[in-house]
Amino acid sequence: MTQASAEAGMTAAPAETTVKGGWYTVVMMAVVVMLAQVDRNVISLMVQPMKRDLGLSDTEVSLLIGLAFSLTYTIMGVPISRIADRGFRKPVVAASLAIWSSATALCGLAQNFWQLFLGRAVIGGAESASSPASLSMIADVIPRHKLPRAYAIYNAGFLAGASIALGVGGLLLGMLAGMEPIVVPGIGVIRDWQVVFMILGLPGLLVSVLIMLTVPEPQRRAGHKAQGYPLKEVIGFLVANRAMHVPMLAGSLLNSIQSFGTLAWIPAFYERTYGWGPSVAGPLLGMVNMGAALAGLFGGAWLAEWIGKRRDDANLRVMFLANLLCIPFLVAGPLMPTPWLALGVSAIGGAIAAMGGAGYNSALQLSTPNAMRGQINALYLFCIAAIGGTLGPLLIALLTDFVAGAEEDLRYVLVGFRLVLAPIDCFLIWLAVRPYGKAYRDRIEAGD
């Protein structure tokens, strides 16, 4: 055996064995993405208070939720992911967490639209660095046949964060409801909803220190290119594999537009339609959505691993089934006559939709060369989080303001939004299933 082949064998070994501390790394990356979702999504509970205290319209609120975040997410994501691809993944995750957590706390001092816009922009720029590096690390510490359950844990953090934002955020708003506004010299008036920003931003600073002290930087597997791949080569790879990536990326984008749009406006929907304020809707949505999402995620991971024993395209096939079967429930939810029925029907749809999350993440990592994962993850996240995260909330706001014309008609906007986009995203994902199976086999042959 030559020295080169011996070294290749040493780096390829982790492909079928779990690296020491691998599951701890997975859990910590899930905690990071959980905190990201808390800090990103808690603003959806503040829609009515922000409109009241800062004199904002639905469209201005949607810009704070979407564009302010995604503008810097777009600018920073790919350049920082290149740093991660060159071997600095753990510091990138820890530093980005510390920055966006600080920015979330500082949003509590904002006194107008533009100050909040700036705070949200810092959060978006910092968060763009974290997920590509996290996803890449997980792929190097867990064997490929167990990746669906690893990404189920990671996605559990993602969905738990959105639920915690609603649940804990709603509880805090309820606890602080009787708080008198505080006048801070040189800053302005601090109200109850601003204190919530401050409280939820602080835990991330502690977790960032814990990551630096306890999470190892994983060894790259076979096929790693120490200096990383330039963006030109990454784009060339995507073009060469366009039969998979074009429909998968387009379908994922349409799905994210629906998801982010609904997530941003669902608390307002419950308040406008059923009279449930944030302190009531937030905790209920948080608990129910978290339970449904966890059931769906781990059920989907099990299904992907089971089908994966028989089919190379299992991961993306499960994503297609999840996106298709959830449609009737997510369309019917906002039309229910009572909030409890709306909550129950939507929870069933959410559980089914969540079944595709682990398969999606696994498919993207397993079809991508090792040292490209950070940049390709960043490109996908740009479309999903930046474009989808901007267009989803904004389109629903514009349709409510200028088409429906009345706040109470938000429910019909949510239904129409899903009816138009969901069938198209399912069709696109289906087109990517067979090309993904081929790409998966290609990466196994390459030793990635």
Side-chain angles (χ1 to χ4, degrees):
M1 182 180 291
T2 65
Q3 181 179 356
S5 62
E7 290 175 351
M10 291 172 63
T11 54
E16 299 305 330
T17 59
T18 303
V19 175
K20 184 179 180 180
W23 291 107
Y24 175 73
T25 297
V26 172
V27 171
M28 290 304 296
M29 295 305 101
V31 171
V32 172
V33 77
M34 178 189 74
L35 292 171
Q37 292 307 301
V38 170
D39 291 351
R40 175 174 184 165
N41 291 309
V42 71
I43 194 172
S44 65
L45 282 175
M46 320 296 191
V47 170
Q48 299 303 116
M50 287 191 304
K51 290 185 67 176
R52 179 192 66 223
D53 295 332
L54 303 182
L56 306 179
S57 66
D58 275 359
T59 300
E60 287 175 316
V61 169
S62 75
L63 294 176
L64 291 173
I65 294 172
L67 180 64
F69 181 95
S70 61
L71 185 64
T72 48
Y73 196 107
T74 301
I75 296 170
M76 302 299 294
V78 174
I80 298 179
S81 68
R82 179 145 172 75
I83 297 173
D85 274 343
R86 298 187 68 165
F88 301 98
R89 293 174 289 184
K90 181 179 77 170
V92 164
V93 172
S96 63
L97 172 58
I99 292 170
W100 88 60
S101 298
S102 300
T104 300
L106 290 174
C107 280
L109 303 179
Q111 300 296 302
N112 55 53
F113 172 83
W114 288 110
Q115 289 175 3
L116 265 177
F117 193 98
L118 177 61
R120 294 284 294 170
V122 175
I123 295 170
E127 284 194 20
S128 70
S130 175
S131 288
S134 296
L135 293 166
S136 177
M137 289 172 70
I138 292 171
D140 275 336
V141 298
I142 302 296
R144 63 171 61 90
H145 66 280
K146 293 182 179 179
L147 274 180
R149 73 186 74 173
Y151 286 119
I153 294 172
Y154 178 81
N155 279 298
F158 182 95
L159 294 169
S163 297
I164 290 170
L166 296 174
V168 176
L171 286 173
L172 288 172
L173 283 172
M175 292 169 59
L176 297 170
M179 185 189 101
E180 291 294 328
I182 302 170
V183 178
V184 180
I187 295 177
V189 179
I190 305 298
R191 302 172 179 86
D192 53 355
W193 57 272
Q194 292 166 295
V195 175
V196 174
F197 279 125
M198 298 178 190
I199 294 172
L200 294 181
L202 296 177
L205 299 175
L206 299 176
V207 175
S208 67
V209 174
L210 188 62
I211 288 171
M212 287 302 298
L213 294 177
T214 65
V215 175
E217 177 69 44
Q219 178 185 352
R220 295 281 189 170
R221 292 181 177 172
H224 174 55
K225 188 174 181 180
Q227 71 274 24
Y229 288 90
L231 185 58
K232 181 179 179 181
E233 290 188 41
V234 174
I235 293 174
F237 173 80
L238 291 171
V239 171
N241 293 273
R242 59 188 176 276
M244 168 191 161
H245 286 289
V246 170
M248 182 176 172
L249 186 57
S252 299
L253 172 59
L254 289 180
N255 185 265
S256 73
I257 289 173
Q258 299 167 68
S259 298
F260 282 116
T262 301
L263 184 62
W265 289 102
I266 203 68
F269 155 72
Y270 277 94
E271 184 166 3
R272 295 175 185 183
T273 305
Y274 305 114
W276 279 5
S279 61
V280 175
L284 287 171
L285 285 168
M287 289 187 294
V288 172
N289 289 350
M290 185 183 298
L294 290 175
L297 276 172
F298 288 99
W302 174 85
L303 184 61
E305 291 184 13
W306 183 73
I307 297 176
K309 297 174 182 177
R310 300 159 180 80
R311 302 190 62 97
D312 293 331
D313 59 12
N315 289 312
L316 219 54
R317 188 172 290 270
V318 170
M319 181 183 177
F320 163 74
L321 290 172
N323 286 9
L324 177 66
L325 297 177
C326 71
I327 295 174
F329 299 95
L330 296 181
V331 167
L335 298 176
M336 291 294 103
T338 71
W340 295 105
L341 281 174
L343 198 62
V345 173
S346 297
I348 295 172
I352 298 172
M355 292 180 70
Y360 161 75
N361 286 129
S362 299
L364 192 54
Q365 311 317 307
L366 292 175
S367 60
T368 301
N370 189 303
M372 284 188 186
R373 285 179 183 146
Q375 293 177 83
I376 289 182
N377 283 326
L379 287 170
Y380 267 77
L381 287 167
F382 158 69
C383 288
I384 293 171
I387 299 178
T390 298
L391 289 181
L394 179 60
L395 288 174
I396 289 177
L398 290 173
L399 289 169
T400 303
D401 278 345
F402 300 108
V403 178
E407 285 190 345
E408 59 269 20
D409 288 337
L410 175 60
R411 66 192 309 181
Y412 303 113
V413 172
L414 293 172
V415 170
F417 205 60
R418 186 79 64 175
L419 277 174
V420 171
L421 297 183
I424 302 173
D425 95 59
C426 289
F427 174 70
L428 290 168
I429 295 300
W430 175 251
L431 292 180
V433 170
R434 183 174 294 179
Y436 161 66
K438 179 181 182 303
Y440 174 80
R441 294 189 295 273
D442 290 345
R443 296 326 314 158
I444 291 179
E445 292 173 6
D448 267 350

